Amino acid sequence: MTATNTQPAAVTLGREVERIVAGQPTSDGAGVKLTRVLTHDLQQRLDPFLMLDAFGTDSPDDYTGGFPDHPHRGFETVTYMIDGRMRHRDSAGHEGLLSNGGVQWMTAGRGVIHSEMPEQHDGRMEGFQLWLNLAAADKMRPAWYRDIPSGEIPELRQPCATVRVIAGASHGVRGAMQRERTEPLLLDLHLAPGAVFEQPLPAAHNAFVYVYRGALAIGSRPVDTQRMAVLANTPGSDGVVLRALDAPARALLIAGAPLGEPIAQYGPFVMNTRDELMQAVHDYQSGRLAA
Ligand code: FE2
């Protein structure tokens, strides 16, 4: 099937692809195999985003170890499950089950110690975890989280595109989450073959696309499956235009307002200075991180 989007044009000058990134195969937690798509060297370029991990496997050996108890401070994690079930427990006694199509939005703030463990022993496990930075003034806020079941994620429906609006807004559909300072946009795009989707974006916001099914064209550049396209902050641009190639395509479109602050990271702690990192380690070791 070939499809043509009938929505009125929203974007007059679309962004170009600045570079295409394959990511790095790695493992984290207790041996969970994943691809680190947004790596440390892209943190400044894609400010306020710190990391994007993609995991997808049919082999339980790749995921059963899960992510046992570990700390976080200074940023937010957004976990999006495409397939599978993951249980979350934290040091404050909160617990939630994340399953097919659901999102967990966790603000570590001053500190959380939690586990993220698969609640299945076979079958497919697929999803993403995005790390979103907090402004210096927000890093020591109390921890907070919200589980968003799949049915609570608003969807934009166009003739040949379905867009799950996890955060921000798209064509008048307000997403499940809003954040003032970083203004994150997080869309899961499902496009029919040949479908065109346009998304307005402020030129100053950093933006990227991760294709996880099929392939897209952005401007004149094809972006293959399991590739991330970093979008240029082209002066005068007002958005991005994506076109699915000859198969159904699915992709995450992620954008946000840069914080423009120093980024200091030590493992699961992301602060502004080395002293603040040392304080985080000290607080963790003395049992006061999540107190
Ligand atoms: Fe975590």
Side-chain angles (χ1 to χ4, degrees):
M1 183 177 78
T2 299
T4 306
N5 190 313
T6 57
Q7 296 293 309
V11 173
T12 55
L13 180 62
R15 294 191 188 203
E16 296 296 327
V17 174
E18 181 176 293
R19 60 184 285 201
I20 290 177
V21 174
Q24 294 174 359
T26 185
S27 69
D28 208 340
V32 178
K33 286 193 181 151
L34 51 84
T35 300
R36 187 141 296 160
V37 179
L38 196 173
T39 47
H40 193 264
D41 55 314
L42 286 167
Q43 287 181 340
Q44 292 286 351
R45 174 62 190 88
L46 292 175
D47 175 15
F49 301 101
L50 299 162
M51 194 184 85
L52 176 67
D53 283 346
F55 48 92
T57 177
D58 298 311
S59 168
D61 289 349
D62 292 344
Y63 61 73
T64 45
F67 302 88
D69 273 352
H70 59 278
H72 294 290
R73 172 178 279 181
F75 61 101
E76 304 189 87
T77 66
V78 183
T79 310
Y80 182 31
M81 290 299 286
I82 303 294
D83 208 345
R85 296 186 303 155
M86 187 96 87
R87 185 168 293 277
H88 158 263
R89 288 190 178 91
D90 74 20
S91 46
H94 300 128
E95 185 174 332
L97 182 64
L98 192 56
S99 62
N100 303 354
V103 168
Q104 187 212 48
W105 196 293
M106 196 269 290
T107 305
R110 72 178 311 280
V112 151
I113 299 168
H114 74 165
S115 61
E116 300 152 286
M117 300 299 289
E119 194 153 282
Q120 62 188 56
H121 301 292
D122 52 30
R124 183 157 182 80
M125 171 78 78
E126 182 178 6
F128 304 94
Q129 187 168 83
L130 177 71
W131 287 15
L132 170 62
N133 210 354
L134 286 167
D138 296 325
K139 282 183 179 293
M140 295 298 276
R141 287 165 61 153
W144 179 90
Y145 89 97
R146 178 182 166 199
D147 280 326
I148 309 166
S150 185
E152 291 181 17
I153 297 175
E155 291 188 352
L156 165 72
R157 292 184 185 272
Q158 294 183 346
C160 297
T162 298
V163 179
R164 311 195 76 219
V165 188
I166 297 167
S170 183
H171 298 266
V173 176
R174 189 175 158 82
M177 284 293 300
Q178 310 295 326
R179 280 286 180 263
E180 278 185 9
R181 185 70 173 77
T182 48
E183 299 176 55
L185 175 75
L186 175 49
L187 305 179
D188 180 16
L189 311 174
H190 301 201
L191 305 180
V196 174
F197 178 73
E198 304 193 350
Q199 175 62 41
L201 294 172
H205 285 202
N206 291 326
F208 58 100
V209 174
Y210 180 71
V211 180
Y212 67 97
R213 295 279 192 287
L216 295 176
I218 301 174
S220 57
R221 288 283 289 279
V223 186
D224 221 336
T225 189
Q226 297 184 329
R227 292 293 180 273
M228 173 172 79
V230 176
L231 303 183
N233 295 70
T234 313
S237 66
D238 55 358
V240 62
V241 182
L242 308 110
R243 178 171 54 86
L245 299 183
D246 52 6
R250 293 179 61 170
L252 302 181
L253 169 57
I254 299 172
L259 291 167
E261 297 175 347
I263 301 167
Q265 179 175 4
Y266 178 71
F269 309 125
V270 184
M271 305 300 288
N272 299 108
T273 68
R274 184 178 158 79
D275 281 355
E276 290 167 345
L277 290 179
M278 290 171 68
Q279 185 67 50
V281 171
H282 182 261
D283 288 352
Y284 178 50
Q285 288 174 343
S286 59
R288 286 180 304 181
L289 182 91

